[in-house]
Amino acid sequence: AFSKLTSIAEGNADLDSNGMVKDLYKSNQQVLATIRTAFDRAEKAGDQATMDLCNQRTAAHEKAAWMLKSSLPAAQRSKLAA
């Protein structure tokens, strides 16, 4: 049921460890985009509680993205979008 609701694909078990980290990074970026959309909608509705939740989740996912990206070799990091 959840797989029908998500925009994030299942992981690829055939990837090497760096490929898996890149895949996680890209999925994390998709989550951040969704959170930003939710924040914008909450802001338009004046929903401060949801805006606060979105801010907290954004901080957590940005930290995770930074950690994932920094664990890759420099050559692979430079190929990833900010």
Side-chain angles (χ1 to χ4, degrees), residues 42-81:
E43 186 175 36
K44 286 178 185 173
D47 184 349
Q48 293 294 323
T50 300
M51 290 167 55
D52 184 50
L53 175 63
C54 289
N55 282 331
Q56 291 175 30
R57 295 310 315 153
T58 296
H61 283 280
E62 285 178 344
K63 181 178 180 181
W66 177 85
M67 290 191 302
L68 288 165
K69 190 173 180 179
S70 68
S71 69
L72 291 169
Q76 291 184 10
R77 279 195 306 263
S78 64
K79 294 179 183 178
L80 293 174

Side-chain angles (χ1 to χ4, degrees), residues 19-39:
M20 289 181 183
V21 171
K22 284 194 289 189
D23 190 46
L24 282 169
Y25 174 83
K26 290 176 183 177
S27 295
N28 204 54
Q29 293 302 313
Q30 286 180 275
V31 171
L32 281 164
T34 301
I35 293 169
R36 289 183 185 112
T37 299
F39 180 90

